[in-house]
Amino acid sequence: MKLTPSSYLVLGMVRLGARSGYAIKKAADASTQAIWPTSLPQVYPELARLEGGGLVTRKDDPKGARARSAYRITDKGEAAFQSWLRSTRVGPLQFRDEGSLRLFFADALPREEQLALVKRLRERALREKNWLRGELIPQAESIPTDPRYPALVGRLGADSWAYWERWFARLEAQINRDGSTNDKTLES
Amino acid sequence: MKLTPSSYLVLGMVRLGARSGYAIKKAADASTQAIWPTSLPQVYPELARLEGGGLVTRKDDPKGARARSAYRITDKGEAAFQSWLRSTRVGPLQFRDEGSLRLFFADALPREEQLALVKRLRERALREKNWLRGELIPQAESIPTDPRYPALVGRLGADSWAYWERWFARLEAQINRDGSTNDKTLES
DNA sequence: GCTCACATGTAATCCGTTACATGATTCT
DNA sequence: AGAATCATGTAACGGATTACATGTGAGC
């Protein structure tokens, strides 16, 4: 049985106490969305697979007339999860950004338009940072059972966006100053 | 005709002088790989689509007995490219990282293993930074026709990885010191 | 009474990667 | 002579998103 990072996301959320598929998706939206997004049509088949492999168990848990399932992690599931956490192979980070791609080709634009593009990128960084600090991190801090790392990962994201914001702000200043972007680095 | 960021990547590389599909892939590996990866089986059909839409033209350009195509951007292609560069809609950044996901769930590990995980993440950041500074940026600096932004985007990537490296180093120090990761931020 | 959140799924589609297939040229 | 690079594709597969489909419960 092959387990992907999405499998471990679902398994991990069950482990932290999310019982239904819906609850797992809700928890993921409030915490791991920025590092590993998922969707309901992915969660439900994944839960069925994990159940088939004996990593979680399912119980009927209707609320009134509304059908609902309650999942729990098994010992086998816990072992698989621990083994994943400890594995030394770090998969490659997947990154794709249309904004950065535009910047890559920005030599084709007049300076004014270059500036507008950089400004949009800086503003996006600001928006993302504010969303993480204002929405995601507070929610991550309220995750049950030892809630240290969820909030920490949120801070890593927020700090990274803050770094981008500063980086683009310096680039804007540089383009405004003399149009030269040939300095060795913009790193602080 | 619908154009995706991958379309504009191919179009942009043709615009910068890459003639064959193979040359486009080679150029992308040496420059945009980290922000928008692509593959040969994606490039060839994309070139055919762009040709069908009249954004590029194709000429036979055999080298000896070996078949080869030479692509050029058309006026229509140049207009589409410019329009894309200027569009104010910034698509969302796509980010997926198994390493960050592991960190999210790291409360399940004993402190020693937490430390090992963070160390692996810091070392990955170091490797990526070194690869960008040592390999990608020098190549990006040698891209023909005004080569300002390609190298700039490389520096953004390298600076970002350097930031992660410092962030994880501070986290390591903190875990080593007292195991507390409840500080407000690790941002410098 | 209406709207939003809760709850579960399937079907169709899209985008991208890996594997397959072939062959010429250049460098060692 | 053999390996690496140049060069072009097709086929199969996989993972993820969007659209479709249905219905209950809670709050305003």
Side-chain angles (χ1 to χ4, degrees):
Chain A
M1 186 191 191
K2 203 198 155 193
L3 296 178
T4 66
S6 291
S7 312
Y8 291 108
L9 169 60
V10 171
L11 189 57
M13 287 303 180
V14 171
R15 192 183 167 279
L16 288 181
R19 284 166 192 15
S20 68
Y22 187 89
I24 290 165
K25 174 60 165 65
K26 227 190 116 189
D29 282 348
S31 57
T32 53
Q33 199 200 144
I35 53 170
W36 202 281
T38 191
S39 59
L40 277 172
Q42 230 194 334
V43 168
Y44 288 118
E46 193 59 59
L47 278 169
R49 282 187 65 233
L50 292 172
E51 197 199 350
L55 305 182
V56 298
T57 54
R58 197 195 74 83
K59 270 188 203 163
D60 278 330
D61 182 31
K63 190 147 188 213
R66 181 163 59 197
R68 187 168 60 168
S69 299
Y71 291 90
R72 288 278 173 83
I73 193 168
T74 62
D75 287 349
K76 193 179 168 188
E78 179 69 31
F81 191 73
Q82 287 281 335
S83 156
W84 171 68
L85 276 185
R86 287 157 203 261
S87 86
T88 50
R89 283 215 69 72
V90 181
L93 181 142
Q94 294 169 46
F95 184 93
R96 263 199 161 83
D97 180 34
E98 190 178 2
S100 300
L101 190 62
R102 282 205 183 94
L103 189 66
F104 179 88
F105 289 117
D107 285 307
L109 290 171
R111 184 169 315 167
E112 234 177 81
E113 297 281 344
Q114 292 174 4
L115 204 59
L117 172 58
V118 173
K119 192 187 167 205
R120 285 195 294 273
L121 293 174
R122 177 177 55 74
E123 284 167 350
R124 174 180 65 167
L126 173 64
R127 276 197 308 276
E128 296 289 333
K129 182 193 75 176
N130 286 340
W131 169 68
L132 284 163
R133 297 226 166 121
E135 308 273 324
L136 189 139
I137 294 178
Q139 289 179 299
E141 276 168 348
S142 68
I143 286 177
T145 78
D146 206 342
R148 238 188 301 168
Y149 283 95
L152 195 78
V153 170
R155 273 179 233 133
L156 172 59
D159 292 351
S160 300
W161 280 115
Y163 182 76
W164 272 40
E165 197 197 345
R166 293 195 297 272
W167 204 93
F168 286 122
R170 279 195 294 273
L171 179 55
E172 266 183 87
Q174 205 170 92
I175 298 173
N176 266 325
R177 206 164 45 240
D178 54 22
S180 160
T181 46
N182 281 319
D183 290 2
K184 281 289 169 292
T185 181
L186 287 168
E187 193 187 358
S188 65
Chain B
M1 185 190 191
K2 203 198 157 192
L3 296 178
T4 66
S6 291
S7 312
Y8 291 109
L9 169 59
V10 170
L11 189 56
M13 288 302 180
V14 171
R15 193 183 166 277
L16 288 182
R19 284 163 192 14
S20 67
Y22 187 90
I24 289 166
K25 173 59 164 64
K26 227 190 115 189
D29 281 348
S31 58
T32 54
Q33 197 200 141
I35 54 169
W36 202 279
T38 191
S39 58
L40 278 171
Q42 229 193 334
V43 168
Y44 288 118
E46 193 59 58
L47 278 169
R49 283 187 64 232
L50 292 172
E51 196 198 353
L55 305 181
V56 298
T57 54
R58 197 195 74 83
K59 269 186 203 164
D60 277 329
D61 181 29
K63 189 148 188 212
R66 180 162 61 195
R68 187 168 60 170
S69 299
Y71 291 91
R72 288 278 174 83
I73 194 167
T74 63
D75 288 348
K76 192 179 169 190
E78 180 68 30
F81 191 73
Q82 286 281 336
S83 158
W84 171 67
L85 275 184
R86 288 158 202 261
S87 85
T88 50
R89 285 212 66 74
V90 181
L93 180 142
Q94 294 167 46
F95 184 93
R96 263 200 161 83
D97 179 34
E98 191 179 1
S100 300
L101 190 61
R102 282 206 183 94
L103 189 65
F104 179 88
F105 288 117
D107 285 307
L109 290 172
R111 183 169 316 164
E112 232 177 84
E113 297 283 343
Q114 291 174 6
L115 203 60
L117 172 58
V118 173
K119 191 186 166 207
R120 284 196 294 273
L121 292 174
R122 175 177 56 74
E123 283 167 351
R124 174 180 66 169
L126 172 64
R127 276 197 308 276
E128 295 289 333
K129 182 195 75 176
N130 285 341
W131 169 68
L132 284 163
R133 298 229 166 117
E135 307 275 323
L136 189 139
I137 294 177
Q139 288 179 301
E141 275 167 349
S142 68
I143 286 177
T145 79
D146 205 341
R148 237 188 302 169
Y149 282 96
L152 196 77
V153 170
R155 273 178 233 133
L156 173 59
D159 292 351
S160 300
W161 280 115
Y163 182 77
W164 272 39
E165 197 196 345
R166 293 194 298 272
W167 204 93
F168 286 122
R170 279 195 294 273
L171 179 55
E172 267 182 88
Q174 208 171 90
I175 298 173
N176 266 325
R177 207 163 46 241
D178 53 25
S180 161
T181 47
N182 282 316
D183 290 3
K184 281 290 172 293
T185 181
L186 288 169
E187 193 185 359
S188 68

